[in-house]
Amino acid sequence: MTAPVWILVTDTTLLGAAMGLARTAGGPVTIVAVGTQRLADAAASLGPDEVLWAEPGPDQPAEAFASAVAAAAAAAGPHLLLGSPAPASRVLLGAAAARCGAALVSGVVSVTAAHDGIAAERLTIGHTVLESVVTAGPLAAIVGGEDSEAAPGTPAPVLPMPGAPSGALHGARR
């Protein structure tokens, strides 16, 4: 698969596992970090191709960025969107999935390219059964299983997320 892969994060929950899935899927990896600079730096240290970052204001939830994240995802056309089971991450993932026309699947522990879609394995029934699913198009996956240490990569550039509310954008840096 050479289509883009996006990881949407609001914290570091299962970030290593998400990066591992992204690497197995192939294609350029973008991490969209909606949170603190520390979150953006942690995401960049895993070696994606780029990190798009927006920092919510003191009284602004990460969920306020759902529309901007969805619009940026639709413009990029990722074939795979990944997010953690954290509530704010699920909101961003759901908005992006709807905008990209992606099937939404939870508990995903592995992904591979399959024809014009993606084959995924997910944990079901109290994490005791492994189920295989194949999409006919893009997949939005809530990462399941245990977190893993992703091998650090060459730090990625951190860029402002397009369309983020004013005051939340940050300049490019390495």
Side-chain angles (χ1 to χ4, degrees), residues 31-169:
I31 298 178
V32 177
V34 179
T36 64
Q37 181 174 352
R38 186 177 195 165
L39 174 63
D41 291 342
S45 73
L46 297 178
D49 293 283
E50 69 179 353
V51 173
L52 300 179
W53 175 40
E55 184 172 27
D59 295 326
Q60 187 178 33
E63 293 91 331
F65 291 81
S67 180
V69 169
H79 202 59
L80 176 62
L81 296 150
L82 298 165
S84 81
S89 178
R90 291 192 334 240
V91 169
L92 299 181
L93 186 64
R99 191 80 181 262
C100 294
L104 183 58
V105 177
S106 64
V108 173
V109 294
S110 72
V111 295
T112 55
H115 307 291
D116 291 333
I118 298 175
E121 291 185 322
R122 67 186 216 111
L123 294 172
T124 63
I125 309 175
H127 298 351
T128 60
V129 174
L130 192 61
E131 177 182 42
S132 297
V133 297
V134 179
T135 66
L139 172 67
I142 298 171
V143 177
E146 300 293 319
D147 202 4
S148 58
E149 287 292 320
T154 303
V158 177
L159 308 169
M161 187 181 72
S166 63
L169 297 177

